[in-house]
Amino acid sequence: MLALVVGSMIGGGIFSLPQNIAAAASPGPMIIGWVITGIGMICLAMVYQKLAVRCPDLDNGIYAYAKEGFGDFVGFNSAWGYWLSALIGNVGYLVLLFSTIGKFVPAFAGGNTVWAVLGASILLWLTHALVMAGIRTAAFVNTITTIAKIVPLVTFIVICAIAFDVGVFSEDFWGANAGLGGVLAQTKSMMLVTVWVFIGIEGATIYSKRARKRSDVGKATITGFLTVLVLLIGVNLLSMGIMRRAKLAGLPDASMGDVLSSVVGPWGSVFVSAGVIISLLGALLAWILLCGETMQVPGEDGTMPKLFGRINRHEAPAPALWVTNVISQICLLLTVLWEGAYLAMATLAAALILVPYLLSAAFALKLVITGVTYKNGPRSRRSCDAVVAGVATLYGIWLVVAAGADALMLAALLYLPGALVFIWAKKEQKAKLIFKPYEIAILVMLVAVSVTAIIFIATGRLSLG
């Protein structure tokens, strides 16, 4: 489980972090942003840790916590939004992977050429076959790739720590001359970048039903988060002591390679590119595993159509995997037919992952307020959990608000079609009442926001890119 958390969190984002953060903030605001982000994310990690132990009967936490706390339709949407975000992420991993290989094989340059998409398609279905052969086999391969991807990161941190220049790091420390706005503006921009590198923190709770002990879920979540946090901060801080911020901000994707090359020479870029390739391969496998499990558990209990709840003789969620990867294949083809397709899909899906996070934190807060599961425990534990859940909920609200109205409107366009799948599942159960009154209110809101988004897109007031 630890490998699944670390493997899903470390994708391609960390290798582009030096440029992404430098384009948003100077060292001072960056440090403030890391402190706030660290507190918010550790509270969210602790929420998953505590809920895994406090609610051991709930499988696939990212979905089950939302359903238990706020009803079937909200739980369905949590799973639906998470699945779509993960699916889009898989397409992104494939495009970035072949774009990286394109540095050595020109036919793959950019990651969206015909040859790149052909290669990405082959890799997608090879990964599909591996997962279909059994979750345990795929998990073992994920463990190997996770270990392999950490090696270049640790190597980078050690070399850059030795070459670190305090003078370079402290130059224009607060960004007064950077043209990035004030300290608060820089901090906010930097925090929005860091959100995406932490996605995957919930990986262990998705696979909670396969854990030998529920306590293992919490341990994997906290240990995995702290491991990745140290790596992220190390890569980010040390890079700013190697290159000046403005130069860092102008680097291309996988900017870690350019930073390392400035210290050790050309082999640094090749070394990091190899790390990116291994990392993306591992992340792709981890997220396909998560996609399948995210749909299988709700399908098993009837919140999703029964089709998604089926598993094959190797205990792999076969129908869920087929649907996931067929849609991924279509998205890959779109990257050739329309160059802006992936950017548009990523924009539509960007806010989706934030809603499940907020719902998990809100469920933990609800348990504290109502006292459910706290009847026999000491008052001090409940008070401590209240602080953790409260901070995680506030941080989740901030993330959703900070994502912006445009992103939220576009996200509604992806949530809305899920209502048809929800109706399908309810009809399979022969439910007399498909939507409860408050669920109808949620559906009406989704329709209203989606219609507004369509009108804004048609009139040019809202961009898909």
Side-chain angles (χ1 to χ4, degrees):
M1 284 215 172
L2 177 59
L4 187 64
V5 175
V6 176
S8 58
M9 289 178 73
I10 299 179
I14 190 171
F15 294 94
S16 298
L17 197 63
Q19 183 277 331
N20 291 341
I21 297 294
S26 293
M30 175 196 68
I31 292 173
I32 295 174
W34 274 119
V35 171
I36 298 173
T37 298
I39 292 172
M41 292 305 296
I42 190 62
C43 285
L44 183 60
M46 291 175 69
V47 160
Y48 286 120
Q49 177 200 33
K50 293 175 183 297
L51 288 177
V53 176
R54 195 161 288 283
C55 304
D57 55 323
L58 298 181
D59 294 323
N60 192 327
I62 204 76
Y63 145 75
Y65 301 150
K67 179 184 177 182
E68 181 72 13
F70 309 104
D72 288 355
F73 190 49
V74 175
F76 169 89
N77 277 296
S78 184
W80 178 261
Y82 185 85
W83 173 69
L84 285 173
S85 289
L87 186 154
I88 293 297
N90 288 340
V91 177
Y93 285 140
L94 287 165
V95 172
L96 182 56
L97 172 61
F98 279 85
S99 177
T100 303
I101 298 174
K103 294 180 179 180
F104 311 102
V105 183
F108 296 152
N112 67 332
T113 64
V114 172
W115 287 108
V117 170
L118 177 61
S121 300
I122 293 172
L123 179 59
L124 172 66
W125 291 107
L126 285 175
T127 308
H128 171 86
L130 176 62
V131 178
M132 290 284 282
I135 297 297
R136 291 183 180 179
T137 300
F140 173 75
V141 175
N142 178 64
T143 300
I144 300 301
T145 58
T146 298
I147 294 171
K149 72 173 68 174
I150 289 177
V151 172
L153 295 173
V154 173
T155 303
F156 176 91
I157 289 173
V158 171
I159 292 175
C160 289
I162 295 172
F164 186 81
D165 188 330
V166 176
V168 172
F169 182 78
S170 60
E171 185 177 300
D172 195 19
F173 191 73
W174 296 106
N177 303 315
L180 299 172
V183 172
L184 289 178
Q186 292 181 63
T187 301
K188 178 182 176 181
S189 297
M190 176 268 173
M191 288 174 65
L192 287 174
V193 173
T194 61
V195 171
W196 313 118
V197 295
F198 281 114
I199 290 176
I201 191 175
E202 69 294 329
T205 194
I206 299 288
Y207 267 82
S208 56
K209 76 172 186 177
R210 299 179 187 269
R212 280 176 288 185
K213 294 187 299 181
R214 287 291 165 153
S215 58
D216 291 343
V217 176
K219 291 175 183 177
T221 300
I222 295 297
T223 305
F225 167 77
L226 292 176
T227 299
V228 175
L229 179 63
V230 169
L231 292 173
L232 289 169
I233 293 177
V235 167
N236 191 190
L237 287 178
L238 294 172
S239 294
M240 284 196 164
I242 301 298
M243 285 186 179
R244 288 176 170 77
R245 188 208 61 79
K247 188 173 182 180
L248 273 176
L251 295 177
D253 288 336
S255 48
M256 252 184 65
D258 295 281
V259 175
L260 188 59
S261 292
S262 69
V263 179
V264 301
W267 73 264
S269 181
V270 176
F271 181 69
V272 170
S273 293
V276 173
I277 292 170
I278 294 171
S279 182
L280 290 171
L281 286 170
L284 174 66
L285 176 57
W287 279 102
I288 286 181
L289 283 166
L290 291 174
C291 277
E293 197 75 4
T294 297
M295 297 294 274
Q296 192 273 326
V297 174
E300 195 173 49
D301 68 17
T303 304
M304 289 279 183
K306 294 178 182 177
L307 169 70
F308 296 108
R310 298 173 187 166
I311 58 176
N312 64 14
R313 61 191 179 89
H314 300 294
E315 299 186 356
L321 288 169
W322 277 108
V323 172
T324 296
N325 292 326
V326 166
I327 295 176
S328 297
Q329 180 66 74
I330 294 171
C331 292
L332 271 174
L333 293 174
L334 285 175
T335 65
V336 172
L337 300 174
W338 174 29
E339 190 171 351
Y342 171 68
L343 179 59
M345 291 184 294
T347 301
L348 286 171
L352 292 174
I353 197 76
L354 302 180
V355 175
Y357 285 169
L358 174 58
L359 290 172
S360 296
F363 174 61
L365 186 61
K366 180 181 178 180
L367 290 184
V368 172
I369 293 172
T370 60
V372 176
T373 74
Y374 285 93
K375 292 180 181 179
N376 300 320
R379 182 173 297 181
S380 59
R381 178 177 297 172
R382 185 174 173 182
S383 299
C384 178
D385 288 358
V387 173
V388 170
V391 172
T393 302
L394 289 174
Y395 184 64
I397 292 172
W398 180 88
L399 291 176
V400 172
V401 172
D406 287 0
L408 295 177
M409 281 196 294
L410 292 171
L413 288 171
L414 287 180
Y415 271 114
L416 186 58
L420 298 176
V421 180
F422 181 75
I423 292 171
W424 172 12
K426 284 292 185 179
K427 286 189 173 181
E428 281 187 345
Q429 294 180 306
K430 298 181 180 179
K432 294 181 179 180
L433 183 65
I434 294 178
F435 292 102
K436 296 176 182 176
Y438 76 93
E439 292 175 335
I440 292 176
I442 295 173
L443 180 60
V444 169
M445 181 187 69
L446 282 175
V447 171
V449 175
S450 296
V451 170
T452 303
I454 292 171
I455 293 172
F456 280 14
I457 291 170
T459 57
R461 295 175 62 183
L462 186 61
S463 173
L464 287 172

